[in-house]
Amino acid sequence: MSEKRIRPKERDSIIQSLKSGVTPKVGIQHIQVGRVNEIKALYRDIERVTDGGSAFRLIIGEYGSGKTFFLSVVRSIALERKMVTVNADLSPDRRIHASSGQARNLYSELMRNMSTRNKPDGNALTSVVERFVTQARKEASAKNESVNDVIHEKLARLSEMVGGYDFASVVEAYWNGHEQGNDDLKANAIRWLRAEYSTKTDARRDLGVRTIIDDSSFYDSLKLMGLFVQQAGYSGLLVNLDEMVNLYKLNSTQARTSNYEQILRMLNDCLQGSVEGLGFLLGGTPEFLLDPRKGLYSYEALQSRLAENSFAQRAGVTDYSSPALHLASLTPEELYILLRNLRHVFASGDQEQHLVPDDALKSFLNHCHQNIGESYFRTPRSIIKAFLDMLSIVDQNPQVQWSDLVANIELEPDRPSDVDTEIDVNEGAQDSEDRPSNDDGLAGFKI
């Protein structure tokens, strides 16, 4: 049976991304291994969202364990199910709740990274709005009504929600710009939908609306966007938020609590069925979830909802229906398959071009086990990077023996990101929420 070749551009993108420790944007199907039960659970979540329901999951795994990769796999499944996806990493300048622009920054980043099946690399907001307008024109033609009336009708549900009236007005402004050939009006409408207006005065001058998407409307605006993409003919909206550990690192108790309250609101809405066609995937480390002093477990209402199933714990099994999904470590067999896949990608999908034999993979894994012990099952990132580095040397120096390279590979376990410096939100902070508090015990203690 002939194997499918991997295009040079795709091959290079995968190799370069993995060597630098980041998840590739293309070709993840070539290297995905294991975690079948977790993917099945998330697939059911996606099905529920496409049926008009909602989903909320915390994806918990050690630093370097493949959380981001797993989120990318789920995202690609959602795109195949005709959903719209938005994704962003939290950072000191981007968080879920704030009052100095950080939540608006996060929303803007999400909108810039909006993807559809036809535009999987982001910047799909304009095409989503265009599709909505096209659908409205088709319906207007079929019903023999004006396009404006159909748009009003389709946006009526949005107008009933918080901030929905202005959201609907901006979409209408886009249509008016489309009709009048006014590119500035269309650009301003997209700019508003991306939360790129910083003052209400500018928005009122350009679009005639009295509000903008700001820190206080972050979550409400996501709910509106979820409804809007459904009106545009998509199955729903999947929101991927990674690096949630940045909330754990906030050294202000009040700032952390405000963000955790926002997470609780999302969780409650999804579990109670208060939102439609909207799913949340939040990637974080075990400390972000479990730390009783600074993690989500420090907030009692979240702890009760996210606590592990005691029956599953006693039986030594995993409850895949829990809102907090802990990624299982890869087995030695799965790691072996992963290395085989990497070897195959490196050879552009041509078995004849494999640089090292199967024995090299076994020797490599044995060496890893002896060097860093069991942790290499939990955090495969360093293993992947070292293996690709070895293949690069063999590729560039055919005279070098792989057996000599394996013996000399030095590996260090990935250092958890949770021990990095805390984020001092006091720097440039304008309001009391962002000032570090003294009720964190030894939070400020430094060695």
Side-chain angles (χ1 to χ4, degrees):
M1 187 178 73
S2 62
E3 299 219 12
K4 189 177 178 183
R5 296 293 175 93
I6 299 167
R7 287 175 299 154
K9 182 181 176 185
E10 194 175 14
R11 178 250 185 212
D12 292 345
S13 175
I14 295 169
I15 301 298
Q16 287 168 8
S17 298
L18 293 175
K19 283 182 76 171
S20 57
V22 298
T23 300
K25 286 193 171 182
V26 295
I28 53 176
Q29 71 276 11
H30 297 304
I31 49 177
Q32 163 62 19
V33 295
R35 297 186 172 140
V36 174
N37 291 324
E38 289 92 336
I39 288 174
K40 280 181 181 174
L42 269 296
Y43 185 80
R44 285 194 291 271
D45 285 357
I46 289 170
E47 290 288 299
R48 189 163 63 250
V49 173
T50 58
D51 287 340
S54 54
F56 180 97
R57 291 278 189 167
L58 283 163
I59 309 300
I60 303 298
E62 302 277 358
Y63 178 74
S65 64
K67 289 186 302 298
T68 305
F69 186 87
F70 182 79
L71 290 172
S72 295
V73 172
V74 177
R75 176 177 162 271
S76 65
I77 294 170
L79 292 176
E80 285 302 311
R81 297 288 292 124
K82 296 182 181 175
M83 288 182 71
V84 175
T85 67
V86 292
N87 61 282
D89 290 351
L90 270 69
S91 70
D93 197 38
R94 295 198 290 260
R95 57 186 199 257
I96 295 171
H97 183 281
S99 49
S100 303
Q102 296 94 333
R104 184 170 72 87
N105 289 344
L106 178 59
Y107 188 88
S108 291
E109 183 69 10
L110 286 169
M111 292 304 113
R112 277 194 290 273
N113 293 332
M114 180 178 281
S115 301
T116 62
R117 190 163 63 171
N118 293 331
K119 292 199 74 172
D121 296 328
N123 285 316
L125 180 58
T126 303
S127 61
V128 170
V129 179
E130 283 283 350
R131 178 166 173 172
F132 173 82
V133 168
T134 305
Q135 296 273 93
R137 290 176 74 173
K138 283 181 184 173
E139 285 185 34
S141 179
K143 294 178 180 177
N144 203 20
E145 294 178 7
S146 76
V147 178
N148 274 41
D149 287 345
V150 171
I151 287 177
H152 269 294
E153 190 182 320
K154 287 170 78 72
L155 296 177
R157 282 193 64 201
L158 273 72
S159 300
E160 295 166 5
M161 297 172 65
V162 175
Y165 182 80
D166 280 345
F167 192 103
S169 299
V170 169
V171 175
E172 282 191 57
Y174 185 92
W175 158 248
N176 292 332
H178 185 86
E179 274 289 87
Q180 299 160 13
N182 186 341
D183 289 340
D184 285 343
L185 188 54
K186 287 166 68 176
N188 288 335
I190 295 297
R191 190 179 154 208
W192 190 95
L193 291 170
R194 279 188 179 148
E196 289 173 359
Y197 275 100
S198 55
T199 66
K200 295 176 183 178
T201 309
D202 290 345
R204 189 172 184 184
R205 182 194 66 227
D206 294 345
L207 296 161
V209 293
R210 293 176 179 272
T211 61
I212 57 172
I213 296 172
D214 56 16
D215 287 340
S216 62
S217 58
F218 171 80
Y219 177 48
D220 290 318
S221 299
L222 279 179
K223 289 199 285 188
L224 286 168
M225 188 56 74
L227 265 181
F228 176 69
V229 300
Q230 291 172 77
Q231 294 291 353
Y234 295 94
S235 304
L237 180 68
L238 181 69
V239 182
N240 268 7
L241 296 172
D242 204 359
E243 301 296 343
M244 296 297 290
V245 73
N246 278 286
L247 301 183
Y248 170 84
K249 291 181 194 174
L250 292 171
N251 63 3
S252 159
T253 305
Q254 192 174 345
R256 274 200 315 277
T257 301
S258 298
N259 278 272
Y260 292 171
E261 281 171 353
Q262 191 79 293
I263 291 173
L264 177 64
R265 188 179 163 207
M266 294 173 180
L267 175 61
N268 285 342
D269 279 357
C270 291
L271 296 184
Q272 292 166 358
S274 303
V275 290
E276 296 176 19
L278 185 61
F280 290 95
L281 291 183
L282 280 55
T285 56
E287 289 80 4
F288 160 69
L289 173 67
L290 302 171
D291 190 320
R293 189 171 61 85
K294 292 176 60 181
L296 290 178
Y297 272 24
S298 67
Y299 194 80
E300 197 173 326
L302 280 170
Q303 182 178 357
S304 62
R305 288 162 176 78
L306 299 174
E308 284 194 58
N309 185 325
S310 57
F311 294 103
Q313 277 182 314
R314 283 198 289 271
V317 295
T318 303
D319 176 13
Y320 292 103
S321 65
S322 168
L325 187 63
H326 295 257
L327 287 186
S329 300
L330 292 177
T331 65
E333 293 77 16
E334 287 167 347
L335 267 178
Y336 176 72
I337 295 168
L338 175 59
L339 295 190
R340 287 187 62 177
N341 290 348
L342 292 171
R343 178 182 66 177
H344 197 59
V345 169
F346 205 96
S348 299
D350 183 359
Q351 279 191 328
E352 299 296 319
Q353 300 298 318
H354 285 179
L355 291 171
V356 294
D358 289 352
D359 285 346
L361 311 186
K362 294 170 188 171
S363 296
F364 182 86
L365 287 176
N366 285 334
H367 180 80
C368 293
H369 192 212
Q370 289 163 10
N371 264 263
I372 59 175
E374 295 298 319
S375 67
Y376 88 103
F377 294 123
R378 297 194 299 274
T379 58
R381 181 187 295 171
S382 55
I383 308 297
I384 291 170
K385 187 178 183 311
F387 183 69
L388 291 175
D389 286 344
M390 184 183 85
L391 290 182
S392 296
I393 296 299
V394 174
D395 185 36
Q396 295 166 45
N397 305 277
Q399 76 279 8
V400 174
Q401 295 297 311
W402 62 262
S403 52
D404 296 334
L405 292 175
V406 168
N408 292 316
I409 287 172
E410 291 185 14
L411 288 160
E412 289 183 14
D414 271 316
R415 183 172 64 92
S417 60
D418 296 349
V419 301
D420 288 349
T421 314
E422 288 182 328
I423 296 166
D424 186 359
V425 291
N426 190 41
E427 192 175 316
Q430 296 299 312
D431 76 2
S432 58
E433 163 186 302
D434 278 355
R435 293 190 194 113
S437 55
N438 295 321
D439 56 355
D440 243 2
L442 298 172
F445 182 75
K446 296 281 186 280
I447 295 174

